[in-house]
Amino acid sequence: SSNEHKLNFKKSKEACLSYIQDALLQKQWKRAAEFLTCYVESLEKDYSREHIGPSEMIWRIGTEIFWHHSQRRMKEFSCFMEQMKTLGVKRYLKVCLEHVFHLLYNGQIDEAYQNLSLAESWRFGEQTAIQDKEIKLIQAYRGLLDYCSWSKQKKILLEHGEDGFADLTVEQEMHGYFRKAAVNLKEIIKIPGVWDVFVKCYVDLLEFYGEHNEARQVLNDYAYNSKFPANPNAHVYLYQFLKRQGESKKSLISALKILHDIVPSHELMIDFNTMLQKSKKRKKRQLGLEVIFAALDYAGWKENAKAWSRLARQVKQIVISEKHLDWIKKEWNSRKDWWPDFHFSRYLAKRNWQENKSLSYEKALVAGILLGKDCKYFKYVSHQGCKVRLKRFRMLKKFVTRHNPVYLRISG
Amino acid sequence: MEFPAALFPSFFTAGPPREEGGPAPVAGWGEHGQVLEAGPGRRQAQPAFVPRRGAPGERWEAAEAAAVPVLLPRAGCWIPSPAPQDILYRSGLCRKLQAGKCGATLDFAKQLGHFFVDHPEDAFGSLGRLLHKNFYLGNAKLKRPARNSTIRMTALVEDIDRLEARRGCPRQHLASRLRWFSHLCRDWLFEVPLGLLADCLHEELAQHWSSLLFDDSLTGGALAWLPPQDGGTPVGRLVHPGGQAMNHLYFQDVVLEELPHTQGLPAQFELSGCIRQVAAARVDGQDFVGVRSDYHCGVWRVPGKTGAAPTPLQVIRTDVPASCLTVSPHLPGELSVCTQSGTVYLWSVETGLQQLRHDPQTMFFRDHSPWRWSDFTAHPRVLSCADRTGLQCLDARAPKRCHFDLFKVGEEAGCQQGERVVLPMYLGRAHPSQYLVTTQFSMYVLDERLPLVPVLKWAHMMKAPPLFAHLMPGKPGRNHKVVLGASRTQELLLLQYRDSFWGVSSGGSQSACQLAGTPQKLHSIAGSLQHLPTQLPHRHHLLQQRLSAPAAGLAATLQENGPHKSMLIFQLSEAGDVFCQRLFHKATQPPAPPSRDEATTAPVPSPAAVLRYRRWLRALSRAWKEPPQHTWPPSLSQRRLFTRRDLEEPAGPSSLQKQMRQRLRQTMQEGGRVQRWEPLALQPPPLPQTLELAGGPDPLSNRLTAAWAGDWDQWWEERTSFSVAQRQRALRERRRRQKRARGRRSLPASFTSSLTYQSELSELSDAGPSLLSPGRPPVLSQEGSPPAGSPPVRSHPPSPAPDEALLSSQSLRCRGIPKERRKTLRDYLSVWAEGPPEPPELPGSQASQLCFPSSQSQLSSASQPLRKRPRMGF
């Protein structure tokens, strides 16, 4: 019968959990809290081998209820969290980290910092791989908060510096923060991962103290280490750093070229295109055309007026000079079977005309050159433009008609 | 769309998942995950942080106490699919065994017994007839001369009964008489060799069981909502399957009022297979609707104008069941199709099919499931393909060279062991480069610009894997809403996420993806049971069964009526019912007082809803009252197949008939065949040369020939002495072919990989487009030219659609023709259909077309003229 009792206890535990779950999913926090007080009993006979045991469940459910139900009474919440930390040794760091997140989210930076320091000094036997990661994160967030304090001090110093008043203690304090932050931030960004915030902060620190070489090293590692995920931001940060350093066009272009290779739809492609366009080398200008064509392949760029005007300008230049028509032809070849439907349908002509006249002007120019003067998009837009007597649309019509043979050469 | 300036921190490790997993009932609660410094907040005194999860979301409250039916149930009974208790073995002994975790035991013997009792003709037909004199069924003792050659069955039956009574007894011994009898007859008594029959049955049962555990054929859902055009009247269109076999496709106009209601009659199409998925996308103001059944995929176009009729565009046929059909949101008339053999096609209505990948193996590690999925991405020429192990994106212009991994079940995304992809979905309407991937444990949001690392991950805690998902994009700066739906448990979960928390206007750039608010459970169809009027107990039971049928689809829409925002969610069940619920948006208020819970919806439905329930129930009971067709004894009346004139006895053979008979006899004597009936004027089109003739005539022709020649007895002798081994071989061969065609689910992985699938779609078409009549959607052919060996021109007149529809399993089932007779009937009809020049007349019940007479059986008619024999693949 003891077996039966155990089974029943298990059953009622499960039933209770499902009631709680139901209440939570229907935002009935009070009901959930009442059931949770019953569920706490399940801790007494915790024989479960499931990977989420009752103590973790209580922590998760309790936290969720506190978030929504307690009108953010932080004191009670902190008390609950302290209890939860002692419930399971293996989960101590995780609960600490979550507690810190909650404090940070609620603007209690100092409490968060205290908690981080406490958690960092916690030691219990051998650490599992997950705990190892958690302790690294705790250190990193502490570094981040140190950085925040540092930048606060920096601000004070700079403001007062203008008044000609420099406080030595502020400067010393600031330097202390720098050291603490740098140590921790440096550690985390060695491990493969996405550390945008930490990298940014660390580079900011290094740059402030003039350690540009190390900053460059850090950014290069972050961008090019193959163990790290292909994070576009890593390349963006490197590019921005190079730009701040006043690096040569060549190195900027090569940084953006890699970004182009991994994310052809990145918004920096406009800058890249501008840079390439200004270049005197033919190859670079051809790459510029490639970049803008590639960007406009993406759905997110469909109505990007800036990109269309770039393309229109370049295509126009090529047509007028009648040099390098083969560049256009090469790009157009892989697109001619789907760009007309994707960009230059009659429906889009109507909508673009209604919503953004200058976009429809640029697109009509491109359409007129690539598809000839009989293309639906060009015809509709130029007709509408002439109807409202806009001069530039008349010019556009003239231009396209004059250069109509180009279309035959491109598509041939 | 700009890339977030900073992403939430996360570790990145490659390799297989390390975390031991399992269903975790509360794993999604109480976690912020990570925090990120928000905003350009350098100006503020203190940095502000935003969490990955836990920021407040929008408040949506249900308007009704339960979901409300949208459509009235149609006539015709819904036949529930088998329940676990139908195919599982239940006895005390077995329960004890199961306690030792031996898994489910299929009640194989019971099913075999059912087959023998229900279909004796098929089980023992020929020998039974030959031997029936030697079996005695009476109670009396047998007399001396008869006893030598007759068995008394009564004693055997008594023995069997006794055995049955002792079932489960560990000491049961077979009665010696039974053992003796089975030993004697096992090898020859059965029409189908017993071992083989048992093999097939067991396999079938195992398949039923696995589909009961998880049926992935419904992935994506068979319900689509075509929203009203901008600025138009609030009339949208619901595209849903219906009919007893779910083989009718309906386009129903629905008016979005307080309680959405239907308007007018739906446009209806009869298809030749059960509809598994309905996918829709709007391109250039037109809706394109893709419909997937097991062996056919079709695409319809619905023009933007309200009330415009949907037009079928094209149909493709596959040899292996298709597992996915998605419609391109970028280009009109483009779709992607996957089949269970691991092939991915880009299907364009204009240019046809392009095979992007063919790989029966899974991508990242070995998994036995043949399920494949594919969807579109931000680049119209780049498609994603998925199997249970992850997602890859490939460029349709160079699919072999240009591809990258988007998602892997592994440590990269922090997956658990045993986690598998259930449903990927392109979130393009919310964000052009984002993707949703659901597994049985979690939901992930991925950004294709940062592959492998999910920008959002959350344990969804649903009891069954989410097979359906629907996105409702929010306006810039607002939350996007996603509804996840499970099939078996009918769960619906509403989630909110956002990809910009600083707002575009405040000068901030795009920011990392966040989950907002708490997940919210929505009403399921089954939940409306308690609000329906009380029924008689047995009716209540039937009603309960119907309402808790597994969900088959999900659709949702946002509606803005001035300041009032609301959300409508439609849910489809396997019984064909569509229920809907409305949620109202509550403007942000100060946090609710702690004493009161948020769920303060009225516990009773509104009067309008009550009325709706009543009407629905009335229609349902009317449908029940109609005598269910399947209880009639299975019979086939010739009258329904032939017109009276066909059956009429001619007064006497006309001279032409005499002439023909003579010619026929002569030809048969010569062993030749009648190539062309004379006079030619009567029969202009020459009969196509069927390939069957080359390999010897089929059994029916054999038999007819023998009968004609008068030596039918001899033929029968030959047939019965046809060695068992040969029959077994033939049957095995057939079974193997069928199996291959069906694509197996339960094969071990090593097995699947060794199977080589024949190239699919090969039988699609070997006729040129010249054959296609303008009214029919053209059928695509994989290779443009007819295969070698077939006659260059097939001038077989396009056979009428009903012929084909008549032969489809569904329509035969509707007609109450039992499964095992369908083949006979098909064979019979197919032979007959090749012969006479005139199409058979429509049986009365075939005229089910309501609105579009020309579009009946589009799918089947499209592929019809091209087949050698008008027999369907299933």
Side-chain angles (χ1 to χ4, degrees):
Chain A
S1 72
S2 71
N3 189 32
E4 202 170 298
H5 171 76
K6 215 160 97 187
L7 278 179
N8 279 344
F9 181 66
K10 196 180 158 213
K11 254 186 199 161
S12 53
K13 218 167 79 178
E14 274 168 16
C16 183
L17 193 63
S18 77
Y19 296 147
I20 296 175
Q21 183 80 347
D22 228 48
L24 288 177
L25 285 171
Q26 293 175 51
K27 307 194 181 185
Q28 300 168 343
W29 312 115
K30 190 158 177 273
R31 206 164 79 102
E34 277 160 13
F35 278 123
L36 183 63
T37 51
C38 303
Y39 191 73
V40 171
E41 273 184 45
S42 67
L43 281 175
E44 284 188 18
K45 285 187 174 183
D46 180 9
Y47 304 124
S48 64
R49 297 217 186 132
E50 275 137 37
H51 76 126
I52 292 190
S55 60
E56 178 165 353
M57 289 187 188
I58 290 168
W59 161 55
R60 285 181 179 277
I61 297 166
T63 311
E64 191 75 29
I65 295 171
F66 261 107
W67 284 358
H68 300 282
H69 189 52
S70 65
Q71 282 184 314
R72 302 189 188 270
R73 269 177 291 192
M74 289 303 288
K75 208 172 160 195
E76 280 172 29
F77 181 69
S78 290
C79 189
F80 173 74
M81 284 311 245
E82 290 309 321
Q83 278 182 332
M84 289 301 114
K85 282 176 198 171
T86 56
L87 262 185
V89 171
K90 279 188 186 163
R91 231 178 7 266
Y92 178 83
L93 291 175
K94 171 102 177 150
V95 178
C96 280
L97 207 51
E98 281 296 329
H99 189 196
V100 168
F101 290 158
H102 193 70
L103 292 169
L104 285 176
Y105 173 42
N106 285 288
Q108 294 175 303
I109 311 289
D110 295 338
E111 284 88 341
Y113 192 84
Q114 276 169 22
N115 268 287
L116 284 171
S117 309
L118 258 172
E120 202 186 344
S121 59
W122 181 81
R123 289 286 175 278
F124 178 83
E126 254 177 60
Q127 283 166 2
T128 60
I130 295 174
Q131 281 176 329
D132 208 34
K133 281 182 175 177
E134 281 161 354
I135 202 94
K136 287 263 158 44
L137 268 180
I138 284 171
Q139 287 167 348
Y141 274 105
R142 207 164 77 103
L144 182 69
L145 293 187
D146 281 326
Y147 166 81
C148 290
S149 311
W150 174 83
S151 65
K152 212 158 105 186
Q153 300 285 340
K154 186 180 82 174
K155 219 161 106 187
I156 295 170
L157 202 67
L158 288 178
E159 276 168 11
H160 288 262
E162 279 170 21
D163 306 339
F165 169 79
D167 193 338
L168 196 68
T169 51
V170 172
E171 203 177 328
Q172 267 175 351
E173 229 175 83
M174 184 179 138
H175 202 71
Y177 284 128
F178 158 70
R179 264 180 291 134
K180 278 197 275 180
V183 167
N184 281 332
L185 292 174
K186 195 178 172 180
E187 278 307 303
I188 191 98
I189 59 183
K190 280 183 194 160
I191 308 163
V194 177
W195 311 122
D196 290 1
V197 193
F198 303 139
V199 167
K200 264 170 118 169
C201 296
Y202 188 51
V203 168
D204 193 26
L205 288 175
L206 292 176
E207 274 188 273
F208 185 80
Y209 290 101
E211 296 177 37
H212 299 297
N213 281 338
E214 199 186 336
R216 183 192 301 264
Q217 186 59 41
V218 164
L219 286 170
N220 268 320
D221 268 358
Y222 192 49
Y224 300 130
N225 190 337
S226 61
K227 282 187 181 148
F228 280 66
N231 184 354
N233 276 343
H235 299 271
V236 173
Y237 298 158
L238 180 63
Y239 166 72
Q240 285 166 345
F241 173 78
L242 294 175
K243 217 168 148 186
R244 279 198 301 270
Q245 295 294 309
E247 293 277 332
S248 68
K249 273 268 148 63
K250 201 177 156 192
S251 58
L252 290 181
I253 286 178
S254 69
L256 283 181
K257 173 79 174 67
I258 292 167
L259 182 62
H260 168 71
D261 290 341
I262 58 169
V263 187
S265 63
H266 200 277
E267 62 273 11
L268 276 180
M269 289 306 114
I270 292 271
D271 293 12
F272 188 33
N273 173 263
T274 319
M275 245 187 265
L276 291 168
Q277 221 36 55
K278 282 182 190 155
S279 169
K280 291 212 173 71
K281 285 189 185 151
R282 241 194 297 161
K283 246 195 180 147
K284 294 242 165 92
R285 273 183 289 142
Q286 185 179 1
L287 181 64
L289 191 71
E290 228 176 281
V291 165
I292 202 74
F293 260 109
L296 285 169
D297 280 349
Y298 287 86
W301 286 68
K302 234 178 147 174
E303 273 149 29
N304 190 323
K306 213 170 177 182
W308 278 108
S309 83
R310 287 294 158 86
L311 180 63
R313 197 193 305 162
Q314 273 157 61
V315 165
K316 201 171 163 184
Q317 269 173 15
I318 290 173
V319 167
I320 291 172
S321 69
E322 295 213 5
K323 264 190 243 164
H324 312 307
L325 272 177
D326 55 317
W327 295 357
I328 302 184
K329 190 174 169 177
K330 188 177 155 242
E331 295 305 319
W332 183 236
N333 251 340
S334 61
R335 295 181 170 88
K336 63 181 172 196
D337 55 335
W338 58 279
W339 264 40
D341 280 340
F342 185 54
H343 285 310
F344 304 129
S345 68
R346 201 182 142 76
Y347 177 86
L348 280 177
K350 253 187 214 170
R351 220 184 60 189
N352 291 156
W353 175 257
Q354 273 167 13
E355 288 168 3
N356 189 346
K357 300 248 181 332
S358 67
L359 170 71
S360 69
Y361 170 82
E362 308 289 0
K363 275 181 80 175
L365 175 65
V366 177
I369 289 168
L370 294 175
L371 290 162
K373 63 179 164 54
D374 293 326
C375 123
K376 283 174 275 183
Y377 195 95
F378 171 75
K379 258 169 101 173
Y380 181 85
V381 171
S382 62
H383 182 73
Q384 294 294 325
C386 293
K387 230 165 61 182
V388 295
R389 301 183 179 197
L390 284 172
K391 194 185 162 200
R392 64 181 190 147
F393 282 91
R394 265 209 309 280
M395 300 279 285
L396 169 73
K397 200 169 180 180
K398 236 186 239 168
F399 179 81
V400 169
T401 319
R402 185 162 6 110
H403 292 281
N404 203 40
V406 167
Y407 139 72
L408 295 172
R409 278 170 64 190
I410 291 168
S411 57
Chain B
M1 283 283 184
E2 288 171 10
F3 195 78
L7 297 162
F8 284 103
S10 70
F11 285 95
F12 180 80
T13 327
R18 263 174 238 157
E19 195 190 334
E20 274 181 41
V26 297
W29 300 119
E31 221 181 293
H32 284 303
Q34 292 288 340
V35 289
L36 192 61
E37 216 184 329
R42 297 282 139 76
R43 267 165 264 134
Q44 295 156 355
Q46 270 203 331
F49 288 88
V50 284
R52 197 171 217 178
R53 190 191 155 252
E58 295 165 14
R59 274 163 52 109
W60 290 88
E61 280 177 18
E64 282 288 344
V68 178
V70 183
L71 308 168
L72 291 182
R74 284 172 216 281
C77 238
W78 168 65
I79 304 151
S81 42
Q85 61 265 29
D86 295 336
I87 57 173
L88 284 191
Y89 187 63
R90 283 185 305 167
S91 78
L93 182 73
C94 205
R95 210 163 296 141
K96 266 184 196 149
L97 279 173
Q98 267 179 23
K101 284 217 167 170
C102 71
T105 316
L106 297 169
D107 197 352
F108 158 72
K110 189 170 97 186
Q111 298 293 333
L112 201 59
H114 280 324
F115 175 70
F116 290 148
V117 173
D118 293 343
H119 309 288
E121 193 62 20
D122 299 292
F124 315 106
S126 42
L127 276 161
R129 230 171 295 132
L130 285 176
L131 293 178
H132 82 268
K133 277 185 216 142
N134 307 76
F135 289 118
Y136 177 62
L137 297 172
N139 271 326
K141 278 247 157 101
L142 284 169
K143 294 259 163 59
R144 174 59 57 192
R147 217 195 285 180
N148 289 338
S149 60
T150 311
I151 303 173
R152 196 169 152 264
M153 294 307 288
T154 326
L156 272 177
V157 172
E158 274 166 13
D159 274 350
I160 291 173
D161 286 347
R162 234 170 280 143
L163 203 65
E164 189 62 33
R166 284 187 301 176
R167 193 170 190 175
C169 169
R171 289 203 195 154
Q172 61 175 336
H173 298 291
L174 277 173
S176 60
R177 203 197 314 250
L178 281 178
R179 199 159 48 191
W180 161 78
F181 182 76
S182 92
H183 187 73
L184 199 67
C185 327
R186 192 163 40 200
D187 292 336
W188 51 265
L189 182 64
F190 302 93
E191 189 83 353
V192 179
L194 191 60
L196 189 63
L197 181 71
D199 270 357
C200 297
L201 182 73
H202 194 267
E203 202 175 277
E204 191 68 31
L205 270 178
Q207 231 164 49
H208 265 292
W209 177 237
S210 77
S211 81
L212 259 180
L213 290 178
F214 177 53
D215 187 4
D216 58 9
S217 67
L218 292 168
T219 310
L223 187 67
W225 170 254
L226 314 182
Q229 296 286 330
D230 303 333
T233 46
V235 181
R237 217 171 256 191
L238 209 54
V239 189
H240 65 100
Q244 264 173 297
M246 293 293 255
N247 64 331
H248 289 255
L249 181 69
Y250 297 96
F251 292 81
Q252 172 73 60
D253 283 343
V254 174
V255 185
L256 295 178
E257 279 170 8
E258 189 67 36
L259 280 181
H261 62 86
T262 58
Q263 186 184 53
L265 282 174
Q268 182 184 352
F269 297 87
E270 188 186 346
L271 315 185
S272 61
C274 172
I275 295 168
R276 306 279 187 196
Q277 192 197 344
V278 176
R282 181 164 288 177
V283 191
D284 282 3
Q286 288 183 325
D287 287 302
F288 288 86
V289 178
V291 175
R292 165 170 71 87
S293 65
D294 278 345
Y295 295 95
H296 292 104
C297 295
V299 56
W300 273 255
R301 184 181 51 215
V302 187
K305 279 169 282 174
T306 328
T311 31
L313 296 180
Q314 214 165 55
V315 175
I316 55 167
R317 227 192 91 99
T318 57
D319 278 357
V320 181
S323 61
C324 154
L325 180 70
T326 45
V327 188
S328 168
H330 306 302
L331 294 171
E334 257 190 23
L335 300 98
S336 79
V337 186
C338 297
T339 66
Q340 288 186 355
S341 65
T343 321
V344 181
Y345 296 96
L346 176 63
W347 172 20
S348 161
V349 171
E350 267 175 39
T351 56
L353 289 167
Q354 184 197 350
Q355 184 178 320
L356 300 185
R357 173 198 283 265
H358 174 76
D359 188 4
Q361 307 265 14
T362 44
M363 286 185 288
F364 300 112
F365 54 87
R366 189 169 278 196
D367 187 85
H368 68 267
S369 169
W371 175 87
R372 297 290 183 276
W373 195 263
S374 163
D375 207 336
F376 291 83
T377 67
H379 192 299
R381 276 288 159 273
V382 177
L383 271 79
S384 71
C385 0
D387 57 36
R388 296 269 177 242
T389 67
L391 266 86
Q392 258 185 0
C393 291
L394 30 102
D395 194 317
R397 294 168 296 185
K400 293 244 163 58
R401 278 185 297 116
C402 301
H403 55 81
F404 65 92
D405 302 341
L406 179 61
F407 177 80
K408 243 186 232 185
V409 172
E411 200 58 22
E412 290 91 343
C415 297
Q416 297 178 24
Q417 286 173 16
E419 195 163 345
R420 294 291 180 271
V421 174
V422 174
L423 174 75
M425 187 170 79
Y426 175 48
L427 297 174
R429 286 187 300 140
H431 189 292
S433 52
Q434 282 182 353
Y435 235 85
L436 174 77
V437 174
T438 63
T439 66
Q440 72 270 47
F441 304 132
S442 298
M443 59 85 80
Y444 300 83
V445 176
L446 292 152
D447 192 311
E448 58 178 71
R449 296 170 293 185
L450 175 60
L452 297 176
V453 185
V455 290
L456 193 67
K457 177 191 173 179
W458 182 67
H460 57 61
M461 309 179 280
M462 286 168 81
K463 292 187 192 90
L467 281 180
F468 321 118
H470 195 98
L471 169 74
M472 284 169 278
K475 297 232 167 81
R478 303 268 317 266
N479 295 346
H480 305 301
K481 269 75 73 182
V482 170
V483 184
L484 298 180
S487 171
R488 196 167 44 79
T489 51
Q490 291 189 352
E491 286 163 283
L492 287 178
L493 202 61
L494 173 69
L495 307 172
Q496 302 173 34
Y497 76 97
R498 56 175 118 172
D499 47 37
S500 56
F501 49 78
W502 309 328
V504 184
S505 56
S506 67
S509 57
Q510 282 281 312
S511 81
C513 213
Q514 282 179 291
L515 202 67
T518 50
Q520 197 173 339
K521 191 176 156 189
L522 306 178
H523 299 310
S524 64
I525 294 179
S528 56
L529 179 70
Q530 50 177 322
H531 302 293
L532 284 161
T534 317
Q535 301 285 303
L536 288 173
H538 72 281
R539 279 289 176 86
H540 184 83
H541 175 73
L542 282 176
L543 195 63
Q544 189 181 16
Q545 201 177 27
R546 178 158 179 131
L547 290 177
S548 48
L554 161 70
T557 182
L558 279 177
Q559 215 188 340
E560 273 187 51
N561 217 342
H564 302 291
K565 292 191 197 76
S566 65
M567 186 190 289
L568 260 176
I569 288 141
F570 298 94
Q571 195 179 19
L572 169 79
S573 81
E574 268 185 7
D577 294 324
V578 178
F579 277 52
C580 86
Q581 57 194 302
R582 190 184 283 277
L583 281 94
F584 282 113
H585 180 240
K586 294 274 148 122
T588 36
Q589 291 164 354
S595 58
R596 233 186 60 231
D597 283 343
E598 268 196 46
T600 46
T601 46
V604 282
S606 65
V610 170
L611 196 68
R612 192 63 77 83
Y613 286 133
R614 285 246 168 84
R615 275 174 52 201
W616 184 81
L617 204 59
R618 213 180 304 136
L620 185 68
S621 45
R622 260 204 306 277
W624 275 339
K625 261 177 211 144
E626 278 179 18
Q629 289 181 351
H630 62 277
T631 55
W632 291 345
S635 67
L636 178 65
S637 160
Q638 285 185 327
R639 236 168 263 267
R640 296 179 73 78
L641 293 171
F642 304 99
T643 61
R644 183 166 297 167
R645 216 180 59 203
D646 285 337
L647 293 175
E648 219 167 63
E649 281 286 322
S654 67
S655 63
L656 183 64
Q657 273 169 326
K658 270 184 205 155
Q659 201 186 332
M660 288 301 162
R661 275 188 195 168
Q662 198 189 352
R663 219 191 122 180
L664 193 59
R665 197 167 287 142
Q666 190 193 338
T667 319
M668 285 172 93
Q669 270 168 4
E670 286 163 4
R673 52 182 183 240
V674 180
Q675 280 278 23
R676 187 168 296 185
W677 294 98
E678 278 169 325
L680 277 170
L682 279 179
Q683 285 295 330
L687 281 177
Q689 193 174 359
T690 49
L691 289 178
E692 278 83 359
L693 286 177
D698 59 308
L700 187 65
S701 338
N702 260 334
R703 192 163 145 191
L704 287 173
T705 317
W708 193 283
D711 47 15
W712 186 79
D713 284 355
Q714 201 194 331
W715 177 83
W716 180 248
E717 284 290 325
E718 267 172 30
R719 181 171 155 72
T720 45
S721 61
F722 191 55
S723 79
V724 172
Q726 231 172 324
R727 262 157 66 197
Q728 275 192 351
R729 215 180 307 133
L731 271 159
R732 278 221 175 93
E733 175 61 26
R734 207 177 79 205
R735 179 73 190 168
R736 220 184 62 222
R737 253 182 294 150
Q738 280 175 356
K739 234 163 49 186
R740 202 183 273 183
R742 202 180 325 156
R744 294 251 343 246
R745 216 172 304 208
S746 49
L747 266 181
S750 53
F751 230 102
T752 330
S753 56
S754 69
L755 275 179
T756 48
Y757 290 95
Q758 291 162 332
S759 98
E760 309 146 43
L761 304 157
S762 59
E763 277 197 277
L764 260 183
S765 150
D766 39 13
S770 61
L771 259 184
L772 303 166
S773 54
R776 292 217 170 93
V779 173
L780 282 174
S781 118
Q782 202 179 14
E783 41 307 286
S785 57
S790 68
V793 179
R794 295 203 170 196
S795 46
H796 189 41
S799 300
D803 181 6
E804 188 71 33
L806 195 71
L807 294 171
S808 81
S809 294
Q810 274 74 20
S811 61
L812 291 179
R813 194 166 85 203
C814 293
R815 240 161 269 276
I817 295 166
K819 202 173 180 181
E820 66 286 347
R821 289 215 198 281
R822 285 178 214 151
K823 196 194 138 349
T824 324
L825 180 63
R826 258 185 237 133
D827 283 350
Y828 174 51
L829 283 172
S830 62
V831 168
W832 172 78
E834 273 169 13
E838 272 182 333
E841 210 141 296
L842 263 177
S845 64
Q846 267 300 307
S848 56
Q849 192 59 34
L850 293 182
C851 308
F852 297 91
S854 68
S855 54
Q856 186 181 28
S857 313
Q858 289 295 347
L859 283 174
S860 51
S861 68
S863 57
Q864 212 279 331
L866 316 157
R867 305 276 296 146
K868 288 174 216 113
R869 288 152 65 88
R871 190 190 296 170
M872 303 296 289
F874 55 106

